[in-house]
Amino acid sequence: MTKGLPSTGDQRRSQLLRGVLDLCLLSLIAERPRYGFEFVAALADNGLDLVSEGSIYPLLTRLERDGLISSYRAPSASGGAPRKYYRLTEAGRAELANGRAVWHAFSGRVERILTDTEPTGGSPA
C-alpha cells in the first residue's frame, strides 16, 4: 500500500488509511467520475501520499464487484487510449453516507480520548 520503506509514523498512517481508503475513493468518485491515476493524485493532494497506484486498482475492482461503483470507457483528453472511469452506483452512495456517519462517530471518539486524556507521569505497576 505504501511507497518505499515507511517510517514508524508512516506505518501507523498506512494502517489507519487502509481501514478507510475505500471511503476515500467513494468520496472522490462522488465528487466526479475519475480514472485510476486521478485517485493517486487526489489522495496525494490531500496529504495521503502513501498510496500507490498498485493498491488503488484492486480496491476499485472490489468496489465494482460489490456493486458500489460502475465503470465506463471514455476517450483520453491527451489523445491516448480510452480511460476507464469510475462512478458511484446508488448502493455506493448509500455506503458512502453510512461510512461517513460511522467515520465521524468513530473519529470523534478517538479524538476525544487523544485530546482529553493526559499522562499522569506515573509508571505502570
Side-chain angles (χ1 to χ4, degrees), residues 24-86:
C24 291
L25 296 183
L26 290 174
S27 187
L28 290 170
I29 297 169
E31 184 179 50
R32 64 177 171 79
R34 294 176 189 264
Y35 63 92
F37 183 73
E38 286 184 307
F39 292 104
V40 176
L43 290 167
D45 288 348
N46 285 285
L48 300 176
D49 55 349
L50 294 173
V51 182
S52 68
E53 251 183 290
S55 61
I56 296 292
Y57 288 106
L59 186 49
L60 290 169
T61 298
R62 183 178 61 78
L63 292 171
E64 189 168 23
R65 185 180 58 242
D66 291 348
L68 302 177
I69 61 174
S70 63
S71 62
Y72 63 95
R73 298 244 178 225
S76 169
S78 64
R83 291 186 169 140
K84 186 175 184 179
Y85 285 82
Y86 298 90

